[in-house]
mmCIF file of all heavy atoms in Angstrom:
data_model
loop_
_atom_site.group_PDB
_atom_site.id
_atom_site.type_symbol
_atom_site.label_atom_id
_atom_site.label_comp_id
_atom_site.label_asym_id
_atom_site.label_seq_id
_atom_site.Cartn_x
_atom_site.Cartn_y
_atom_site.Cartn_z
ATOM 1 N N VAL A 239 2.286 -5.000 -11.818
ATOM 2 C CA VAL A 239 3.039 -5.419 -10.598
ATOM 3 C C VAL A 239 2.573 -6.739 -10.053
ATOM 4 O O VAL A 239 1.513 -7.196 -10.470
ATOM 5 C CB VAL A 239 2.999 -4.356 -9.533
ATOM 6 C CG1 VAL A 239 3.519 -2.996 -9.961
ATOM 7 C CG2 VAL A 239 1.604 -4.163 -8.925
ATOM 8 N N ASN A 240 3.391 -7.300 -9.178
ATOM 9 C CA ASN A 240 2.942 -8.540 -8.484
ATOM 10 C C ASN A 240 2.530 -8.195 -7.057
ATOM 11 O O ASN A 240 3.356 -7.783 -6.270
ATOM 12 C CB ASN A 240 4.177 -9.518 -8.446
ATOM 13 C CG ASN A 240 3.853 -10.759 -7.675
ATOM 14 O OD1 ASN A 240 2.719 -11.280 -7.684
ATOM 15 N ND2 ASN A 240 4.824 -11.345 -6.990
ATOM 16 N N MET A 241 1.246 -8.331 -6.777
ATOM 17 C CA MET A 241 0.734 -7.840 -5.470
ATOM 18 C C MET A 241 0.314 -9.042 -4.647
ATOM 19 O O MET A 241 -0.280 -10.038 -5.097
ATOM 20 C CB MET A 241 -0.579 -7.058 -5.790
ATOM 21 C CG MET A 241 -1.148 -6.320 -4.676
ATOM 22 S SD MET A 241 -0.338 -4.726 -4.435
ATOM 23 C CE MET A 241 -0.813 -3.933 -5.958
ATOM 24 N N SER A 242 0.809 -8.943 -3.365
ATOM 25 C CA SER A 242 0.348 -9.969 -2.401
ATOM 26 C C SER A 242 -0.163 -9.179 -1.150
ATOM 27 O O SER A 242 0.062 -7.948 -1.057
ATOM 28 C CB SER A 242 1.475 -10.918 -2.002
ATOM 29 O OG SER A 242 2.570 -10.235 -1.434
ATOM 30 N N TYR A 243 -0.785 -9.897 -0.257
ATOM 31 C CA TYR A 243 -1.416 -9.216 0.898
ATOM 32 C C TYR A 243 -1.029 -9.936 2.232
ATOM 33 O O TYR A 243 -0.950 -11.105 2.236
ATOM 34 C CB TYR A 243 -2.917 -9.216 0.713
ATOM 35 C CG TYR A 243 -3.414 -8.501 -0.524
ATOM 36 C CD1 TYR A 243 -3.508 -9.186 -1.679
ATOM 37 C CD2 TYR A 243 -3.670 -7.174 -0.485
ATOM 38 C CE1 TYR A 243 -3.900 -8.513 -2.876
ATOM 39 C CE2 TYR A 243 -4.079 -6.478 -1.621
ATOM 40 C CZ TYR A 243 -4.212 -7.178 -2.804
ATOM 41 O OH TYR A 243 -4.593 -6.517 -3.952
ATOM 42 N N PHE A 244 -0.860 -9.108 3.247
ATOM 43 C CA PHE A 244 -0.756 -9.625 4.576
ATOM 44 C C PHE A 244 -1.989 -8.991 5.251
ATOM 45 O O PHE A 244 -2.090 -7.808 5.366
ATOM 46 C CB PHE A 244 0.523 -9.178 5.257
ATOM 47 C CG PHE A 244 0.626 -9.651 6.673
ATOM 48 C CD1 PHE A 244 1.224 -10.891 6.912
ATOM 49 C CD2 PHE A 244 0.095 -8.946 7.726
ATOM 50 C CE1 PHE A 244 1.260 -11.370 8.211
ATOM 51 C CE2 PHE A 244 0.168 -9.417 9.013
ATOM 52 C CZ PHE A 244 0.719 -10.626 9.321
ATOM 53 N N VAL A 245 -2.919 -9.843 5.791
ATOM 54 C CA VAL A 245 -4.131 -9.392 6.370
ATOM 55 C C VAL A 245 -3.973 -9.355 7.907
ATOM 56 O O VAL A 245 -3.706 -10.445 8.515
ATOM 57 C CB VAL A 245 -5.321 -10.224 5.971
ATOM 58 C CG1 VAL A 245 -6.617 -9.768 6.635
ATOM 59 C CG2 VAL A 245 -5.447 -10.307 4.451
ATOM 60 N N GLU A 246 -4.201 -8.209 8.486
ATOM 61 C CA GLU A 246 -4.189 -8.069 9.950
ATOM 62 C C GLU A 246 -5.633 -8.341 10.410
ATOM 63 O O GLU A 246 -6.522 -7.602 10.143
ATOM 64 C CB GLU A 246 -3.830 -6.645 10.358
ATOM 65 C CG GLU A 246 -2.396 -6.292 10.217
ATOM 66 C CD GLU A 246 -2.064 -4.896 10.803
ATOM 67 O OE1 GLU A 246 -2.987 -4.061 10.871
ATOM 68 O OE2 GLU A 246 -0.902 -4.669 11.073
ATOM 69 N N ASP A 247 -5.818 -9.521 11.043
ATOM 70 C CA ASP A 247 -7.127 -9.837 11.520
ATOM 71 C C ASP A 247 -7.508 -8.918 12.773
ATOM 72 O O ASP A 247 -8.646 -8.690 12.988
ATOM 73 C CB ASP A 247 -7.196 -11.302 11.959
ATOM 74 C CG ASP A 247 -7.069 -12.201 10.739
ATOM 75 O OD1 ASP A 247 -7.542 -11.864 9.606
ATOM 76 O OD2 ASP A 247 -6.336 -13.224 10.852
ATOM 77 N N ALA A 248 -6.506 -8.537 13.467
ATOM 78 C CA ALA A 248 -6.676 -7.588 14.585
ATOM 79 C C ALA A 248 -5.573 -6.517 14.419
ATOM 80 O O ALA A 248 -4.503 -6.893 13.943
ATOM 81 C CB ALA A 248 -6.549 -8.296 15.914
ATOM 82 N N PRO A 249 -5.821 -5.306 14.772
ATOM 83 C CA PRO A 249 -4.754 -4.272 14.653
ATOM 84 C C PRO A 249 -3.480 -4.665 15.396
ATOM 85 O O PRO A 249 -3.525 -5.042 16.562
ATOM 86 C CB PRO A 249 -5.440 -3.040 15.257
ATOM 87 C CG PRO A 249 -6.874 -3.312 15.199
ATOM 88 C CD PRO A 249 -7.044 -4.743 15.343
ATOM 89 N N LEU A 250 -2.373 -4.546 14.670
ATOM 90 C CA LEU A 250 -1.065 -4.868 15.226
ATOM 91 C C LEU A 250 -0.226 -3.631 15.508
ATOM 92 O O LEU A 250 0.928 -3.737 15.887
ATOM 93 C CB LEU A 250 -0.350 -5.799 14.272
ATOM 94 C CG LEU A 250 -0.988 -7.164 13.949
ATOM 95 C CD1 LEU A 250 -0.302 -7.877 12.878
ATOM 96 C CD2 LEU A 250 -1.093 -7.962 15.271
ATOM 97 N N GLY A 251 -0.823 -2.429 15.292
ATOM 98 C CA GLY A 251 -0.084 -1.225 15.537
ATOM 99 C C GLY A 251 0.771 -0.881 14.345
ATOM 100 O O GLY A 251 0.921 -1.677 13.410
ATOM 101 N N THR A 252 1.330 0.382 14.342
ATOM 102 C CA THR A 252 2.107 0.831 13.216
ATOM 103 C C THR A 252 3.268 -0.067 12.987
ATOM 104 O O THR A 252 4.123 -0.387 13.876
ATOM 105 C CB THR A 252 2.596 2.229 13.503
ATOM 106 O OG1 THR A 252 1.480 3.070 13.718
ATOM 107 C CG2 THR A 252 3.440 2.789 12.300
ATOM 108 N N ALA A 253 3.353 -0.707 11.767
ATOM 109 C CA ALA A 253 4.393 -1.612 11.387
ATOM 110 C C ALA A 253 4.438 -2.871 12.188
ATOM 111 O O ALA A 253 5.405 -3.653 12.068
ATOM 112 C CB ALA A 253 5.761 -0.919 11.353
ATOM 113 N N GLY A 254 3.414 -3.190 12.983
ATOM 114 C CA GLY A 254 3.377 -4.373 13.768
ATOM 115 C C GLY A 254 3.382 -5.632 12.972
ATOM 116 O O GLY A 254 3.943 -6.677 13.384
ATOM 117 N N ALA A 255 2.840 -5.567 11.766
ATOM 118 C CA ALA A 255 2.793 -6.741 10.883
ATOM 119 C C ALA A 255 4.170 -7.174 10.474
ATOM 120 O O ALA A 255 4.385 -8.388 10.230
ATOM 121 C CB ALA A 255 1.948 -6.453 9.615
#
Side-chain angles (χ1 to χ4, degrees):
V239 298
N240 177 33
M241 192 85 62
S242 61
Y243 300 90
F244 180 89
V245 180
E246 288 184 337
D247 295 321
L250 299 173
T252 303

